[in-house]
Amino acid sequence: MNFKSTIFLLMIGLFCYNLSNAQQKIEKNWKLTFSDEFNGSGAPDPSKWNTPEYNRRNNKNGPDGWWSKEDSYLENGNLVIRVRAIPNTNNDNDSIDYSCGALESKGKFEQKYGKFEIRCQLPKKQGWWVAFWMMQGKVSQVGNEGVDGSEVDIFEGFGWGDKINQAIHWDGYGKEHKKVTHALYNSKLSEGFHTYTLEWYPEVYKFFIDGVETWSTTGGGVCNQSGHLLITGEISTDSWLAGSDWANQPLPGLYPDYFLVDWVRVYSLK
Ligand SMILES: [Ca+2]
Ligand SMILES: [Ca+2]
Ligand SMILES: [Ca+2]
């Protein structure tokens, strides 16, 4: 081997060493900053979570989908998010309405960058969907792409269709709205508990299921503002859902149905 090729090999070696060193730093230096193991009974811990209550999915032509405090509670070491058919709750002509639970950490826990992880079991019945997601910065602010605000859907789960969706939305929800999405189908995910993870770095968002990376994206430019967590059920009777690959049509005879969350844990980079 001549001098030049020795130098070349040394440089390659140094490059690989630095690369694996950087990788190790990313994997090892997480510091727990927030967790809820959902032990106990009754309402979720009010020092960590708000439980919003309003007509979340208003439909002028059919039953509405409410968020209700009653539909999130602790039981057997899990957070339970329930969906129900309920009596019509407002002054329209619906024969019934629907309700489900929602938790958000707005004003109670917010963080910029880090690792955001949930362990949970998807519900299996059609007509509603569940999600672990973040609102980072000001999502409704049009301009500056997603850097000033992004909705990051760590996962949206459709157990009835063996489907998981991961997504980023920015620049509001009107005509300037933009998004990137990634869907995957896996029948194993509708059985038992699984972990869904977002690693949010200044340069990139990385998504994982059971520790395996499923998607990596910069979305609309990685958001540089802190964000809060949401764990939610959603039920809508809007026509775009009927027969669709999304949640499909709600059917009152199917409910109640339940989304179980064992824990949520958040880490910052040390
Ligand atoms: Ca109604
Ligand atoms: Ca924006
Ligand atoms: Ca638990």
Side-chain angles (χ1 to χ4, degrees):
M1 196 185 303
N2 63 27
F3 180 70
K4 265 189 190 162
S5 50
T6 307
I7 291 291
F8 178 71
L9 283 174
L10 274 174
M11 282 170 71
I12 291 281
L14 197 61
F15 175 75
C16 290
Y17 173 78
N18 281 335
L19 203 65
S20 72
N21 225 21
Q23 205 79 27
Q24 276 175 5
K25 267 181 200 150
I26 284 173
E27 283 165 9
K28 286 184 177 168
N29 287 336
W30 296 115
K31 179 187 163 207
L32 189 70
T33 52
F34 174 93
S35 71
D36 198 334
E37 302 296 316
F38 298 120
N39 294 321
S41 59
D45 183 347
S47 73
K48 294 177 178 170
W49 305 106
N50 307 310
T51 46
E53 203 161 40
Y54 62 93
N55 192 352
R56 166 72 172 167
R57 300 274 171 182
N58 183 19
N59 181 359
K60 275 183 277 181
N61 306 309
D64 306 294
W66 297 76
W67 271 351
S68 153
K69 289 182 191 299
E70 277 176 72
D71 290 306
S72 46
Y73 52 90
L74 307 181
E75 193 176 76
N76 300 326
N78 295 320
L79 164 70
V80 181
I81 301 243
R82 175 180 60 186
V83 66
R84 289 181 297 156
I86 58 172
N88 186 22
T89 302
N90 49 359
N91 289 329
D92 56 17
N93 296 319
D94 301 330
S95 56
I96 57 162
D97 277 344
Y98 293 99
S99 74
C100 55
L103 267 60
E104 56 157 35
S105 72
K106 190 176 185 179
K108 297 184 170 174
F109 175 76
E110 304 193 3
Q111 183 174 303
K112 182 166 80 170
Y113 309 134
K115 179 157 104 168
F116 304 81
E117 192 157 59
I118 193 168
R119 180 171 188 266
C120 59
Q121 177 165 11
L122 300 182
K124 282 196 187 165
K125 292 178 180 167
Q126 75 170 57
W128 72 309
W129 71 102
V130 298
F132 178 47
W133 49 299
M134 294 190 75
M135 292 293 271
Q136 303 172 348
K138 294 193 169 99
V139 180
S140 59
Q141 208 156 272
V142 174
N144 201 18
E145 299 293 330
V147 176
D148 53 347
S150 289
E151 173 192 323
V152 179
D153 300 323
I154 300 168
F155 88 92
E156 297 172 288
F158 309 85
W160 73 277
D162 298 327
K163 179 185 174 184
I164 293 295
N165 198 57
Q166 299 165 322
I168 300 178
H169 302 262
W170 65 95
D171 282 354
Y173 299 95
K175 76 179 174 12
E176 307 293 334
H177 167 246
K178 296 180 196 73
K179 66 177 177 180
V180 286
T181 66
H182 175 250
L184 60 101
Y185 294 83
N186 183 339
S187 59
K188 286 185 186 140
L189 295 176
S190 51
E191 300 294 336
F193 282 81
H194 297 275
T195 59
Y196 301 87
T197 309
L198 170 73
E199 292 183 7
W200 172 18
Y201 300 100
E203 306 80 19
V204 69
Y205 296 106
K206 289 179 176 288
F207 295 75
F208 300 80
I209 300 178
D210 295 329
V212 176
E213 188 176 320
T214 55
W215 192 37
S216 176
T217 177
T218 55
V222 176
C223 184
N224 63 13
Q225 305 292 311
S226 67
H228 64 268
L229 308 170
L230 298 104
I231 307 170
T232 58
E234 304 264 5
I235 184 160
S236 170
T237 59
D238 281 336
S239 53
W240 65 274
L241 284 166
S244 87
D245 176 47
W246 196 252
N248 208 337
Q249 188 83 328
L251 298 169
L254 293 178
Y255 314 130
D257 192 18
Y258 307 92
F259 171 41
L260 304 181
V261 181
D262 182 11
W263 49 253
V264 171
R265 295 171 189 162
V266 179
Y267 306 80
S268 65
L269 270 168
K270 265 185 188 167

